[in-house]
Amino acid sequence: MKPPSDLAAPPDPAIDETVVTENPVAGIDQTAGDFSYNVKYDFDAGTGLNENTIRYISSVKKEAPWLLEFRLKALKTFLDKPLPTHWATKDLENINFDKIRYYLSQGQKPKRTWDEVPDDIKKTFERLGIPEQERKFLAGVEAQFDSEAAYSNVKELVKKQGVIFVNSTEGLREHPEIFRKFFGKIIPTGDNKFSALNSAVFSGGSFIYVPPGVKVAQPLQAYFRINAENFGQFERTLIIADEGAEVVYMEGCTAPKFSTSTLHSAVVELVALKGAKIQYITVQNWAANVFNLVTKRGVAHENAEIKWIDCNIGSRLTMKYPGVVLKGRKARGEVISIALANDGQHQDTGAKMIHAADETTSNVVSKSISVGQGRATYRGMVHIPKHLKGCKNNTECDALLINTNSRTDTYPAITVRGDQNATQHEASVSKVNEEMIFYMQQRGLTEGQAMSLAVNGFINDLARQFPMEYSVELKRLIDLEMEGSVG
Amino acid sequence: MSASSSSSTVAHSATGAFTPDAFAAHLATQPSAPAWWLDRKRAAYESFASLPMPKRTDEAWRFSSIATLTLADVQVGAGVPAGLSIESPFGPVALTFVNNTVVRSGERQRADLPPGVLVTTLSDALANHSELLRKHFMAQPQKLGSEKFAALHTAFIADGAFIHIPRGVEVAAPIVVVHAAAGANTAVFPHTLVIADDNSKATVIDYFVSLDSLSPLASGPSPAPQALALALGANDLYAAHGAHLTYVAAQAWSRDTLSFQLNSTVVRRDARVQSLNLHLGARQARHESLSQLQAPGAFSEMLALTVADGTQEFDQRTLQIHQAPNTKSDLLYKNALRDKARTIFSGLIVVDPDAQKTDAYQSNRNLMLSDDAEANSLPGLEIQANDVRCTHGATSSRIDPEQEFYLRSRGISKAAADELLTFGFFEEVLQRLESEPLHDALRSLIQTQFQK
Amino acid sequence: MSQLEIKDLHVAIGDKPIVKGLSLTIRRGEVHAIMGPNGTGKSTLAKAIAGHPDYTITSGDVLIDGKSLLELEPDERARAGVFLAFQYPSEIPGVTIANFLRAAQQARLAEGEELDATAYYKRLYSKMDLLKIDRKFTSRAVNDGFSGGEKKRCEILQMAMLEPAFALMDETDSGLDIDALRIVAEGVNAIRAGAHPPGVLLITHYQRLLNYIVPDFVHVMHEGRIVKSGDKNLALELEAKGYDWLKKATAA
């Protein structure tokens, strides 16, 4: 093994400003969705990745020695592992790992003014109805989003219930007795190349512990303690719901995200102990130059329930297959997924359901929309091993193709052993019904409006599963995405 | 035993028993073949020898047992034993091959054929219909993972069936071809090539059977790893403008056989091909089936029935490629799994960018009859045109307990109820075939699998 | 004269007791009607006797001529003489009625004995004539896509062919219009009048069916037990006064 860079000392903070402005990935059109600014990073880990990068991150975060060891081992795993291009898209080969910044330290974020934000982004925020405060944060104008006022009541409330809700650094430093037990256990470092990368360089993300029997009434949101790091490239999230506890977590937002980076690689681990329920809701709308490669998995113990609700819009390539390991009897797992792939985008999403106990049930519903030359892929895995009884999986995938050259793929893999279980997979591909469009046009809608309505109708049953404010934004976002898809 | 340990290293090498010497010996048996044929064989051998064996990480071999794909310890060019009797459940036989050699050419049946219909051997076609053979023999791409084995087939094939139905001719009775393997450790390379010319109509049946074992269908104890037969079969089906071709392949190799069956179907304008593969035999059977819908109006119906028991593995890979607008394909593969059997179904529907108005369907149904059986389903879609109707489904389930209770409440034992319900499960596929006698023949073959 | 004896039977579904101590003896040739409100355990009783795996007999016994059925598999119980006419017969795609009945007949022969196909079809057709069923019927898959009336006629045809000692008829009248009901009842009566009249346990919610199949005894079931027995007039009384009358009477 050879480190990719020969830097011997911690990287020079003033290093190579030009890297930021040049297109870090060759051959992609960055005119749409590339919101990067020409900025000066005062303190960061430089570009490229080697042991020193890791040591730098760990020292800035004042981490315990075991965690530095963990990161260094993960780096080795990352470097050793090949890209999974024997099944995944070759586009992964276009990621230039040497030109990526792996850490920007907190409090030293770039500053810019609202005037510098491109007009089309301001317009998009406007049309999506993003609150003023959030707009500035999302555009990178403010490093800190003042959430205290808006959410302090909720924070107080959950604190009284004994809920721990901190970032990853604080979680591992202040509550190792709770978090260390599960950290990296649901998704081991070596699970895939990108989980290894995250394990090496992670920062930000949420660590949450909900004590036994506590039912958190309102959804916890990444917004609650939002800061730039939280919206970083390599965030790490671990949620533990103790016996009988219930929690809903929401991340992301529908606004196009300002991003200085082309690689986002998060790891999210969920643990639902006996009888617990976790719902994890994601809505993401990445800039069109971003590789979004995320590993998400939960373990559901006896009678527990884990539900992933996931909406993926934007990005150049998203690879994300939320999974549930159904470890205890009568555990339930669910993935609800919406993906929209526009021109130049590939949404490679899906679900993994690993049944490991009797009478476990899993349900996957996936709907994708391909617009222009966009490509939506469903990849699924259902595994019911030997000698289990009464396990059930149901999977439904529906793809909607808008334009003649839109593309969709479906690649499920289902393994069932024994005669006491049942699985069912159904998938369909269709286009928007022309009669329906004509009908709406006859009532005075433009073709574009009619198309938007039809697409919203297509995902309506899933969109309803999102919290109200998200589903409203989702609808507006689809309207925006559908513009220019017809005529 | 030093001999077997050395052979087990050979087993995982790229050529196994099919060494350059063995190839040279094989070529020597075909002195009168035309140059193009020999050139193709040499090129195929080169490519066979240079291609690696499948690896665990190959997507085309996902879930397949790789370690047991051995090409060692088999005998190339075994002789034909005397005094064989072969029973065909499909009625009169047009051609019979044993160990790659034609033994009976069914003159009587062939005499009944309409004028112009050719049912002959590949050797005869090499001599008399060389251009047609050259155009169609193994001419389609191998897209499903067995490039190496297809090359091996071409390199070592000695003979096979060549069937040509001329323009506008309809053949009422099925044309039955028997491909048999006899003797221990035999390697056979069965091949059937069918050209159905414009607006012709015919039914062709391939029956694959081993003659050596006590009973080809008896599961018995697992054979020792060194007792291995190899059957590496391929077919080329070509349905020209408006042709109707029905193709049935019944595979009943012995339980020590490693079987490959590589099917290629080309469907031209307004033509229709219906194929049904019945899988009963072999230790491990890989079946690859490619349908290319090449012109508007083309329709390919792909059917399969599998009864898997003992420790059998049936590995089925299918590809429906819609290359032209207004084409249709419909796939239905049903597996009944007993004992410790494994099945893999990996199917893909591909709709090319301009193949609008495609209507494609794909369905894999697994009936789990034992707690030790394993079914893997990988139904796939790759769609690049929007005005299409493409759906697929895969289910794995046991017999419906209510149905079983209903049968048992009429006094039928559990074993008999399971058998009856398995037949009921298969009936949907059988009913797709028009010919009633064919249903009966297939049912009786399936029945043998239950009488043990 | 052979008899089916139900002795202090308790049946549960899962942990929930449904039948709570029911005793009844049915002799061959007799028709016993069991009536009662919905959810009182009538169907549970029939399914439990037939050996449905979802129903657990927690205590009591069911015997034919003194021999307990409880250790027997469902098919063994059937061969011992019990026939259940289902309220909702299963649909069995791909299995024709002819093949199905043949398998059921074959199952009743000794090991190695082959069914005489000619005799079988002769008998089948004569029964179909008796029940006024079209010949084409037997080439259809069992109950597959059948109307409610067809399903019930299919049940009666099977009963005629299998000649059970005891028939448990579970809500045979449900979902039938008056014409279908008459046809089904005629079938049952024809079997009763034949050479092998079975003992019949007729489970019904309504008195209506009893106009067509006249019972020898009527039992009223409530909350898992028989709360009142009588002759056919009891059914008429129930029809007139409703089940509430009985609930009050038994609660008191």
Side-chain angles (χ1 to χ4, degrees), chain B residues 42-71:
Chain B
R42 285 191 199 95
Y45 186 76
E46 284 297 304
S47 114
F48 159 69
S50 63
L51 285 166
M53 288 294 276
K55 292 185 296 292
R56 185 152 297 285
T57 49
D58 292 345
E59 268 303 282
W61 293 84
R62 192 169 172 194
F63 297 116
S64 309
S65 297
I66 300 293
T68 42
L69 292 174
T70 167
L71 299 175

Side-chain angles (χ1 to χ4, degrees), chain B residues 306-324:
Chain B
T306 305
V307 184
D309 63 22
T311 55
Q312 285 182 303
E313 175 175 308
F314 290 95
D315 183 4
Q316 307 169 73
R317 312 274 164 164
T318 67
L319 182 52
Q320 298 151 261
I321 309 186
H322 292 259
Q323 296 162 328

Side-chain angles (χ1 to χ4, degrees), chain B residues 88-95 105-106 108-114 117-119 163 165 170-178 192 194 201-207 244-249 274 433-442:
Chain B
S88 148
F90 299 102
V93 177
L95 285 165
S105 51
R108 198 161 55 88
Q109 201 217 0
R110 288 199 278 159
D112 293 340
L113 292 169
V117 174
L118 259 175
V119 178
I163 297 166
I165 319 292
E170 292 192 11
V171 185
I175 300 164
V176 180
V177 182
V178 173
T192 293
V194 184
K201 190 174 177 184
T203 298
V204 175
I205 298 171
D206 271 336
Y207 178 44
H244 269 215
L245 178 61
T246 301
Y247 173 79
V248 174
Q274 183 184 48
L433 294 176
E434 238 176 69
S435 156
E436 295 258 352
L438 213 45
H439 298 178
D440 292 338
L442 291 166

Side-chain angles (χ1 to χ4, degrees), chain A residues 248-289:
Chain A
V248 176
Y249 182 80
M250 301 202 294
E251 64 165 0
C253 69
T254 54
K257 271 189 56 193
F258 163 79
S259 172
T260 49
S261 173
T262 52
L263 177 60
H264 171 249
S265 189
V267 164
V268 179
E269 298 176 291
L270 308 182
V271 181
L273 296 174
K274 190 173 172 183
K277 282 187 184 174
I278 303 177
Q279 223 181 87
Y280 193 105
I281 302 167
T282 307
V283 176
Q284 270 163 354
N285 182 15
W286 292 98
N289 61 338

